[in-house]
Amino acid sequence: MNIEEVRDYCLSLENSEECMPFGNDNVVFKVDGKMFVLLSLEAPFWLNVKCDPEKAIELRDHYSEVLPGYHMNKRHWNTLDLEGRLSSSFIRQQIENSYNLVRKKKR
């Protein structure tokens, strides 16, 4: 999945919006004013997604392309290497899980 596909998918989720609060090399996707994805715009391409803490560890153990969240709370965020072998469906699932976690917390 490339960065344009990630962007399109994030923006397809209800009430999502994008902004660039950390400069021109990252884009943030938010729902209800809260971040659910941080996407790098410079190589190597990666994205951060929020994750259930137990599931986050499980994913890191299973996939070499899933790492503790870069510049994030490592208990609640994972970094996905977009230049690795992660499938598009896996990446979309992680984005959707992150979106749902953030949205649920708001309610």
Side-chain angles (χ1 to χ4, degrees):
M1 196 169 195
N2 64 41
I3 59 173
E4 291 84 10
E5 292 168 323
V6 169
R7 180 181 183 270
D8 290 344
Y9 185 70
C10 289
L11 291 175
S12 76
L13 300 171
E14 184 179 358
N15 295 325
S16 66
E17 60 182 308
E18 68 180 326
C19 59
M20 299 178 87
F22 305 121
N24 294 330
D25 54 348
N26 296 294
V27 63
V28 169
F29 296 93
K30 294 181 177 184
V31 62
D32 301 326
K34 299 286 187 179
M35 179 169 53
F36 69 95
V37 167
L38 171 65
L39 173 65
S40 74
L41 298 176
E42 295 184 3
F45 300 109
W46 51 268
L47 64 90
N48 285 342
V49 289
K50 191 161 188 150
C51 193
D52 172 79
E54 289 179 23
K55 185 71 174 173
I57 293 168
E58 179 184 320
L59 292 172
R60 292 173 202 163
D61 289 345
H62 194 269
Y63 299 96
S64 62
E65 296 89 354
V66 178
L67 306 165
Y70 180 66
H71 286 300
M72 306 295 276
N73 180 323
K74 300 194 182 338
R75 183 166 187 259
H76 295 278
W77 290 83
N78 275 343
T79 296
L80 309 182
D81 176 0
L82 296 179
E83 297 181 359
R85 297 174 297 186
L86 297 175
S87 70
S88 293
S89 62
F90 176 83
I91 294 168
R92 279 192 297 274
Q93 180 182 27
Q94 299 313 304
I95 291 170
E96 188 172 340
N97 289 344
S98 180
Y99 171 87
N100 288 331
L101 278 172
V102 171
R103 193 125 202 244
K104 181 171 60 172
K105 196 160 190 149
K106 178 72 175 174
R107 293 181 182 172

